[in-house]
Amino acid sequence: MDLYEQQSTYCPNMPMRELMYVSRLYEKELKDKNLYSTALVKVPAPQFIVLYNGTKKMPEQQILKLSDAFMAEEKEPNLELRVTILNINPGMNAGLLSKCRTLKDYVAYVEKVRKYGKNMPTDEAVELAVKECIEKGILAEFLTVYRAEAVQLSIFEYDQEKHMRCIEDAAREAGREEGRKAGREEGRKAGREEGRNAGREEGRKAGREEGRAEERRNTEMERKRAERAERELEELKKELTLLKEKVNFSVNSGD
């Protein structure tokens, strides 16, 4: 059971999508089978292939695993599904394209649509690509028989591809803007924190300076009080000396 899908945009959720696809296919396959039987019911082995031809640069081959989506990483997951992504853009998987003429022609057709789409409206680019491919024998039979359907589908896919690129560009720009906003907010927070820290440091310095000034004032007051006390003591000593002299004088006069 081979499941093939063509994608022009990279999607990391392909394993989960393929799991849902193959589950529905197995459900149809086993519709008339008895899964409660003691006999083993066999089913076709699946293979999941995605042919990528988008504009985003991708490796020639890549494996996506269902377990990559698991919230908790497991060394040996109990459920696994692998999707092989083959890049079929020009210069990639040349061996595969050489073995499949239809696939090679499809790649050439897509390249023409993209080439002409850079310089003209999508519908004109598709019409020109179809006309040139038919003339050069590229998907000629298919494009001749199903020209209208091919043109309509190509216009839709090419416009969708451009739309997805616009969405991705917008998402990247939104991400950058969010990053800039977050950076500015972090800068403001850091500035406020630095301001608070600076304010606290200035407050501590001012407090220490005021404390030293108060200490100097107190010291000066103590010095002045000490000087005043010394002066008062000297005055008292002088008064006591005078009083002693008077007492001695009185005693001597009485004799």
Side-chain angles (χ1 to χ4, degrees), residues 87-245:
N87 190 338
I88 58 172
N89 280 305
M92 298 287 185
N93 286 295
L96 172 64
L97 297 180
S98 65
K99 295 176 182 178
C100 182
R101 172 65 186 276
T102 302
L103 186 59
K104 183 178 180 180
D105 285 357
Y106 172 73
V107 171
Y109 167 70
V110 171
E111 280 302 299
K112 290 182 182 298
V113 172
R114 287 176 178 164
K115 175 183 176 182
Y116 299 139
K118 294 178 181 178
N119 304 310
M120 61 182 67
T122 303
D123 56 344
E124 294 180 14
V126 171
E127 286 286 0
L128 181 57
V130 169
K131 179 177 179 294
E132 186 173 320
C133 284
I134 292 175
E135 292 175 352
K136 294 185 177 181
I138 300 173
L139 292 179
E141 183 178 351
F142 176 82
L143 292 175
T144 300
V145 176
Y146 300 103
R147 180 167 185 151
E149 293 85 348
V151 168
Q152 186 177 8
L153 182 60
S154 296
I155 291 174
F156 172 77
E157 288 187 347
Y158 187 70
D159 284 345
Q160 185 183 41
E161 186 177 313
K162 290 197 296 184
H163 177 64
M164 291 301 296
R165 286 201 298 268
C166 290
I167 291 177
E168 290 176 357
D169 292 342
R172 281 193 291 270
E173 181 57 32
R176 286 193 289 267
E177 181 59 27
E178 288 180 5
R180 287 192 288 267
K181 287 182 180 179
R184 288 194 293 268
E185 182 59 28
E186 288 178 4
R188 284 193 289 268
K189 287 182 180 179
R192 288 194 293 268
E193 184 61 27
E194 289 178 3
R196 284 193 289 268
N197 291 336
R200 286 194 289 268
E201 182 60 27
E202 290 178 3
R204 285 193 289 268
K205 287 182 179 179
R208 288 194 293 269
E209 186 59 34
E210 289 178 4
R212 285 193 288 267
E214 182 67 21
E215 184 179 353
R216 287 195 295 270
R217 286 194 296 270
N218 292 336
T219 301
E220 182 63 20
M221 290 175 63
E222 289 295 329
R223 186 184 64 78
K224 289 182 178 180
R225 280 196 292 267
E227 290 179 352
R228 187 166 57 250
E230 288 180 3
R231 288 196 298 270
E232 290 175 353
L233 180 60
E234 289 296 324
E235 292 292 331
L236 181 59
K237 287 180 178 179
K238 288 179 181 180
E239 291 179 0
L240 290 174
T241 300
L242 290 174
L243 181 60
K244 183 177 180 182
E245 289 175 355

Side-chain angles (χ1 to χ4, degrees), residues 30-42:
L30 299 170
K31 182 179 179 181
D32 299 321
K33 303 290 179 65
N34 182 11
L35 294 181
Y36 298 96
S37 170
T38 56
L40 179 64
V41 177
K42 293 193 174 183

Side-chain angles (χ1 to χ4, degrees), residues 26-81:
Y26 276 146
E27 188 175 2
K28 292 180 180 179
E29 177 76 19
L30 299 170
K31 182 179 179 181
D32 299 321
K33 303 290 179 65
N34 182 11
L35 294 181
Y36 298 96
S37 170
T38 56
L40 179 64
V41 177
K42 293 193 174 183
V43 294
Q47 182 172 317
F48 308 97
I49 304 292
V50 171
L51 303 175
Y52 172 79
N53 69 329
T55 56
K56 183 179 180 180
K57 189 175 181 180
M58 296 287 289
E60 191 169 54
Q61 181 172 325
Q62 184 178 5
I63 303 294
L64 298 183
K65 297 184 295 182
L66 179 65
S67 59
D68 292 337
F70 294 166
M71 292 181 180
E73 184 176 351
E74 299 179 357
K75 292 183 178 180
E76 296 182 2
N78 291 319
L79 177 63
E80 187 63 283
L81 186 150

